[in-house]
Amino acid sequence: MGEFQVHRVRFFAYVPAGIRCVAHSPRSARLALARTDGALEVYNFAANYFQEKGIPGHETRSTEALCWTAGDRLFGAGLGGDISEYDLEKLRVKYSLDGFGGPIWSMAADPSGTQLAVGCEDGSVKLFQVLPDKIQFERSLDRQKGRVMSLSWHPSGTRIAVGSIDLLRVFDVKSGHAIQRILVDRRLQGLYSRECVVWSVAFLSNGTIVSSDSVGKVQFWDSEKGTLLETHPVSSSAVLCLAVSEEEDSIVVGTSEGAVYQFQLLPVKWGSAESKWVRTKPFQHHTHDVRAVAHSATALISGGLDAQLVIRPLMEKVHGKGYDAALRKFTFPHRRLVSCAKKAGLLLFQFPQHLELWRLGATNSAGKDGDILPVSRAPEHLLQLKSKGPEHICCSCISLCGSWIAYSTASRLHLHRVHLENGSVSVKRVSKVPKLLCSAHQLLCSADSTSLFVASDQGAVHVLKLLEPGGCGHLQTLRPNSGSTEAVYLLAASADGDWLAAAGGDWEINVYSLRHFKPHCTVPAYNCAVTALAIHPVTNNLVITHSDQQVFEFSIPDREYTTWSRKVQQHGLHKGWLERDMPITHIAFNPKQPTHILLHDTHMFCILDKSLPLPDDATPLMNQTSLKQLSEKARRGHAHAFKICKKYQVSVLM
């Protein structure tokens, strides 16, 4: 596998924000997720649950509800009282509109996706019409007492069920009047009764209303008669959220104890036409409140304040053991938050509102494989850069020499010159950044630290010249021949400074010539998201990984896939490799071994040795610990291209 000196970095104290709400779009197979810091993430189920889009958070943005409408447009609303539409191409808030009712607690789109209903603090339900380029206030339903905590449209689009404090109401959409008022049970606490908050409701096509509340119950109501059909005590605390499957035969609920339950509509006895809702055992995958749930065709989805997104497959809906049958837990973003200055031995850590610069520790000792070496110089915290204003940092980078630090928020690019001398550090902000660079979605410094590549939200890449002693100038803007305006989210530059590769939200990979500042070629289209890019320092081959775990090698000079890459596609990758549930997030190369490609995800570090044969499915895809237990002869018999180590997690390749 080779010998490496591994730095155990335990001083990156990054804590992801909790998950506040989710919205699932069955038509596009996407899941939108909002966190408590205002950040938005979009996961593509068709691309193996890859986090394909992200919008950074904002200190003043509190998203309480998300929903998809016709045309796969995404809207969010929160306690600020505004309704916002997200631009998923340019990865920003497109516009915001006042909801005219104070803080917004709930929001849902009608079955056709042409109307939005929002539940407000003042007790009103307001309807907005979804127009091609905006939303427009239409009217309010009869205002009632108490804030509207939850709401749900009937599949016919003619009625809306509303949950508030101690009450359920049913509104007729055409007249705007409440046609049913249902009192829910309070909880006795000593001599007093405690108010019951209806946290979530779902309106089924047969007229049944399903509610979950702060008393810990899931209840089924007849919307016509206003009577209770079934009640299920689920928790000693609150049931905070629920979601119904498209077939309306399964319900998932989440509690404040971190548990997730499934209810299934099952026949009372075999062959009977009569059915009853039956609760399954709890799934305890969360440590804190489960604030959001969703139900896809094959999985139960839950998000909690522990920041985990958990996707639990419904085994009766999954045929055979494979990728879809794996339990997934996503905590960290599928984007890099750590940049490395290889030549200076520095690490730059990205937090929502500040950056930290650290010097790696060092050792004077040597040892054999697996030894823990004593540290002669401890890691050192050199610098903290705070971002002013309410906007969160969306990307950052440090030059290989450690002399330049760049980061961007949603509205501004920041560039700093760093001086390290005799153990002291000083930083100076570059005040004059070209005006056309208002923000960036990805930043990368060239290998010689003389250029900065800035990926814009218009599909273009701007090239800046980094000037001594501390300035910059705009060199050129690179635009794809296709005219794509999708935001670029991955960049890779060649070591010789000749080439730049950029991947956008439409999964198109463009290669630019930095000598002539023009497009060189486009990598043949592949129907899965790009998760990592890197250009080999010797051959200038572009190595690409996709969310379905495929690995490609593309020759930039020849404008075609390499012979090795074609061999991989003909042979096929190992089943165990393809069934991994985490995307490759970074690629690097071993300078001493040109045939080695270094890959890693959140849980695994891998050396892909192109000189060795690819394993077939009958060959165990063993990790290095297992191989060491074999004899030398047996080890040679198991030798193949993949050398995998799972000892180090969340690794950064230098």
Side-chain angles (χ1 to χ4, degrees), residues 274-287:
E274 184 183 356
S275 299
K276 186 176 181 181
W277 288 99
V278 178
R279 189 187 76 186
T280 65
K281 67 178 182 179
F283 306 121
Q284 194 76 40
H285 298 304
H286 297 275
T287 58

Side-chain angles (χ1 to χ4, degrees), residues 127-437:
L127 301 182
F128 290 80
Q129 187 179 4
V130 181
L131 301 175
D133 57 349
K134 62 179 180 179
I135 59 171
Q136 181 175 289
F137 176 72
E138 190 174 340
R139 59 195 173 93
S140 292
L141 306 184
D142 285 352
R143 183 175 170 182
Q144 307 289 319
K145 185 179 179 181
R147 64 175 67 128
V148 178
M149 303 301 302
S150 53
L151 55 83
S152 175
W153 290 78
H154 187 270
S156 67
T158 59
R159 295 182 179 183
I160 298 176
V162 170
S164 56
I165 298 174
D166 296 330
L167 281 174
L168 280 169
R169 293 186 181 90
V170 180
F171 285 89
D172 180 83
V173 175
K174 186 176 182 180
S175 67
H177 301 317
I179 59 175
Q180 189 62 263
R181 183 175 182 271
I182 303 171
L183 282 171
V184 296
D185 293 335
R186 288 187 164 213
R187 171 187 286 176
L188 290 177
Q189 195 170 35
L191 299 175
Y192 304 97
S193 61
R194 184 172 137 196
E195 66 181 17
C196 178
V197 180
V198 181
W199 285 113
S200 189
V201 293
F203 212 155
L204 306 185
S205 56
N206 63 1
T208 300
I209 299 173
V210 189
S211 68
S212 66
D213 55 44
S214 60
V215 179
K217 292 183 292 187
V218 174
Q219 296 180 304
F220 296 81
W221 307 85
D222 186 323
S223 65
E224 294 291 335
K225 299 177 182 178
T227 56
L228 179 64
L229 300 175
E230 295 181 46
T231 184
H232 296 264
V234 171
S235 172
S236 59
S237 54
V239 183
L240 299 172
C241 48
L242 67 85
V244 184
S245 65
E246 279 195 284
E247 296 81 9
E248 297 186 354
D249 59 354
S250 177
I251 296 173
V252 56
V253 301
T255 73
S256 59
E257 296 174 327
V260 174
Y261 295 83
Q262 183 190 10
F263 288 81
Q264 291 180 285
L265 188 61
L266 301 174
V268 175
K269 58 182 180 179
W270 183 260
S272 173
E274 184 183 356
S275 299
K276 186 176 181 181
W277 288 99
V278 178
R279 189 187 76 186
T280 65
K281 67 178 182 179
F283 306 121
Q284 194 76 40
H285 298 304
H286 297 275
T287 58
H288 294 70
D289 296 10
V290 178
R291 300 300 299 268
V293 292
H295 203 309
S296 73
T298 59
L300 307 179
I301 304 155
S302 57
L305 294 185
D306 58 1
Q308 283 199 121
L309 174 66
V310 177
I311 301 173
R312 183 180 181 85
L314 296 169
M315 299 311 295
E316 69 272 15
K317 302 285 186 180
V318 178
H319 302 289
K321 184 179 179 181
Y323 192 88
D324 289 335
L327 173 70
R328 293 170 196 79
K329 296 182 180 181
F330 301 128
T331 305
F332 296 100
H334 295 167
R335 300 283 186 272
R336 70 175 190 184
L337 298 173
V338 180
S339 300
C340 181
K342 301 178 186 179
K343 297 176 182 178
L346 304 176
L347 290 179
L348 182 70
F349 299 142
Q350 178 183 316
F351 294 87
Q353 289 193 292
H354 74 274
L355 302 174
E356 288 185 5
L357 183 64
W358 286 74
R359 178 185 281 122
L360 284 169
T363 182
N364 296 323
S365 304
K368 62 181 185 295
D369 184 23
D371 284 354
I372 299 175
L373 304 179
V375 175
S376 59
R377 188 187 73 232
E380 184 181 0
H381 183 199
L382 300 176
L383 180 68
Q384 184 180 92
L385 276 177
K386 291 186 178 180
S387 175
K388 296 180 180 179
E391 294 178 334
H392 288 187
I393 298 171
C394 57
C395 60
S396 60
C397 77
I398 186 171
S399 63
L400 295 186
C401 65
S403 299
W404 297 92
I405 290 177
Y407 72 93
S408 179
T409 62
S411 63
R412 190 175 178 185
L413 173 68
H414 301 261
L415 181 62
H416 292 80
R417 183 73 163 94
V418 180
H419 293 276
L420 292 168
E421 191 173 352
N422 299 326
S424 63
V425 59
S426 63
V427 62
K428 182 180 180 181
R429 184 173 67 88
V430 177
S431 57
K432 294 184 179 180
V433 176
K435 292 183 178 179
L436 79 161
L437 304 176

Side-chain angles (χ1 to χ4, degrees), residues 79 101-105 119-124 143-144 146-149:
L79 301 184
I104 297 173
W105 291 92
C120 304
E121 175 78 17
D122 66 357
S124 65
R143 183 175 170 182
Q144 307 289 319
R147 64 175 67 128
V148 178
M149 303 301 302

